[in-house]
Amino acid sequence: MNEELKIFVRTLKKGKYLHGSNSREIVKKAIEFNNPPRIPYMFNTHGGDVFLAAKMSGPNAAKKPGRIGATYTDGWGVTWEVTGRGWDHATGYPLDDLSEKLSSYTFPDMGYDKSDPLTKLMIQMGRRMKKYILGVNSINMYELLRSLMGFEGAMMAPYLSPDLLIDLLNRLADMTCRLIDSFCAAGGIDGFITYEDWGLQSGLQMSLEQFREFYKPVYKRIIDHCHDRGIHFIWHSCGDIITLIPEMVDLGVDVVQMDQPLLMGYENLIEASKGELCFFNCVDNQWTARPEVTIDDIAAETERMIDMFARKMPDGGFIMKHYTQPWDIGLSKKKETAIADTFFNRTCRESR
């Protein structure tokens, strides 16, 4: 444990800054703009206030080979090429033509009606530690759609097979709602996070009109399903999604988790959200991984990001995190640690 964290822990034990609140309460207050006593966090190097529950069971897949370039097929029928990174590359799409293949496609048994001992154990652990428990979406509707159809197929479906696309999306939404219910049956979660990338580097992957016509209604079903069960909905998306932020607010999204906030600008994001959306940010993963970015640069940018969100949204609305897969972007341990150290030093200063 480094010295900054020791100071931080001692401060919390003295009650100078925690004020009797546990991690779960602090995160909920941040999400709901209810004056959290401090900024909640989730760091690879130190843990934090947010606890990831295990994914519920999904479809069985062929054993993934270890050799880069080898291929395998998952339980959805998607063929993948091994990249050696945190994500592989889809090369075979079982629903590349909806009009020909959807009627005969067999959806996998996700096993959501079965007991999942690992998930129950993870939730019990999170409860004992009084953490904010986050259930992970193992379907990720839009990501799965692109894997099932291929990017080109997914982009052309609104024009070539609009009714079939709606049918498929509703089927995936039904499965997602069953997943949420399974988390509830396993002990309950506080938030449900989905990993669905809608941005390119210069805007959305499709027009807002298409999003509103085909995707917004099914997201609304999933988000309402969470809220009906007292669960926050957290949406991760990479890329430039600034024009999607008002749609997220309208849908009732509680938290947006982004790894590239500098791509859009902190102030622009806050303005687009009208102060109604909690941001769950790391320091921009594209910027931090650049060789010319120094430890001092990272410390300054961490301070700047915290200052902006604290000033513009003084009642809450911000959670700090690390990028989850630093090895995939070549982010050094020193840079990763600098983000946490800056956060803890700042928190300790403010608690005195």
Side-chain angles (χ1 to χ4, degrees):
M1 184 182 295
N2 62 27
E3 189 59 33
E4 289 80 11
L5 184 55
K6 288 179 182 177
I7 296 170
F8 185 68
V9 171
R10 287 199 299 269
T11 302
L12 296 187
K13 284 182 177 179
K14 291 177 182 177
K16 289 183 177 179
Y17 204 65
L18 193 57
H19 300 302
S21 297
N22 59 43
S23 286
R24 181 172 183 261
E25 292 166 343
I26 292 169
V27 176
K28 289 185 71 173
K29 285 181 178 181
I31 293 173
E32 296 167 6
F33 294 86
N34 190 22
N35 295 300
R38 61 172 172 81
I39 296 171
Y41 67 95
M42 180 183 179
F43 291 148
N44 301 334
T45 53
H46 301 85
D49 300 300
V50 181
F51 185 86
L52 282 178
K55 294 181 181 180
M56 298 294 296
S57 56
N60 293 324
K63 185 177 180 180
K64 178 178 174 177
R67 180 173 55 84
I68 294 176
T71 60
Y72 64 99
T73 301
D74 68 13
W76 292 93
V78 179
T79 301
W80 298 88
E81 179 181 323
V82 176
T83 64
R85 307 183 72 184
W87 53 85
D88 292 331
H89 175 61
T91 59
Y93 318 109
L95 291 177
D96 53 0
D97 188 329
L98 286 181
S99 61
E100 290 186 3
K101 298 181 179 179
L102 183 59
S103 60
S104 60
Y105 178 74
T106 301
F107 286 82
D109 178 9
M110 301 298 288
Y112 293 156
D113 298 327
K114 303 179 182 68
S115 175
D116 189 336
L118 178 58
T119 300
K120 288 183 178 180
L121 177 61
M122 295 290 282
I123 290 174
Q124 288 171 4
M125 289 172 58
R127 288 278 177 254
R128 289 194 194 102
M129 294 186 290
K130 298 183 179 180
K131 301 293 185 180
Y132 182 92
I133 301 174
L134 202 53
V136 179
N137 189 357
S138 54
I139 295 177
N140 300 316
M141 180 175 62
Y142 184 55
E143 293 295 316
L144 177 59
L145 184 83
R146 293 203 308 266
S147 299
L148 290 169
M149 301 183 64
F151 186 79
E152 182 177 347
M155 293 300 105
M156 293 301 297
Y159 304 100
L160 301 178
S161 308
D163 292 338
L164 293 176
L165 174 61
I166 291 171
D167 288 345
L168 176 56
L169 289 171
N170 276 303
R171 180 65 181 265
L172 297 178
D174 289 341
M175 298 174 78
T176 305
C177 290
R178 284 179 59 199
L179 168 60
I180 294 164
D181 289 341
S182 296
F183 274 118
C184 294
I189 54 177
D190 300 305
F192 180 72
I193 186 167
T194 192
Y195 295 90
E196 302 180 52
D197 293 337
W198 275 86
L200 303 171
Q201 293 299 292
S202 57
L204 296 185
Q205 296 177 16
M206 65 180 65
S207 69
L208 276 177
E209 289 72 24
Q210 280 193 352
F211 172 82
R212 290 168 180 155
E213 180 178 358
F214 293 96
Y215 294 91
K216 193 170 182 177
V218 286
Y219 277 118
K220 180 65 173 171
R221 284 183 50 207
I222 295 168
I223 293 165
D224 286 349
H225 198 79
C226 283
H227 290 167
D228 288 345
R229 285 146 185 79
I231 298 167
H232 294 126
F233 185 85
I234 295 133
W235 189 337
H236 161 88
S237 181
C238 286
D240 182 348
I241 59 167
I242 191 74
T243 57
L244 194 62
I245 296 294
E247 302 297 319
M248 290 182 171
V249 173
D250 187 55
L251 280 166
V253 173
D254 298 289
V255 183
V256 60
Q257 194 281 298
M258 52 180 56
D259 299 328
Q260 299 171 267
L262 280 177
L263 185 62
M264 294 152 281
Y266 308 139
E267 196 160 7
N268 293 333
L269 288 168
I270 295 168
E271 183 179 350
S273 74
K274 299 179 181 178
E276 298 179 31
L277 193 60
C278 179
F279 291 89
F280 189 9
N281 291 359
C282 68
V283 183
D284 194 289
N285 67 343
Q286 290 186 326
W287 176 80
T288 53
R290 294 176 184 172
E292 67 271 19
V293 174
T294 67
I295 297 298
D296 288 343
D297 293 336
I298 287 175
E301 189 59 36
T302 302
E303 289 269 13
R304 191 174 80 87
M305 182 169 69
I306 295 171
D307 284 340
M308 179 64 72
F309 283 94
R311 188 172 73 251
K312 293 288 185 178
M313 298 193 297
D315 297 330
F318 183 64
I319 305 170
M320 186 78 183
K321 75 182 294 289
H322 271 153
Y323 180 62
T324 310
Q325 297 163 260
W327 54 88
D328 274 330
I329 60 172
L331 187 66
S332 70
K333 183 63 69 174
K334 286 185 178 180
K335 287 185 174 183
E336 191 178 31
T337 302
I339 294 167
D341 286 348
T342 303
F343 174 85
F344 289 130
N345 282 328
R346 178 194 175 94
T347 304
C348 291
R349 289 199 311 269
E350 293 180 348
S351 69
R352 294 193 180 107

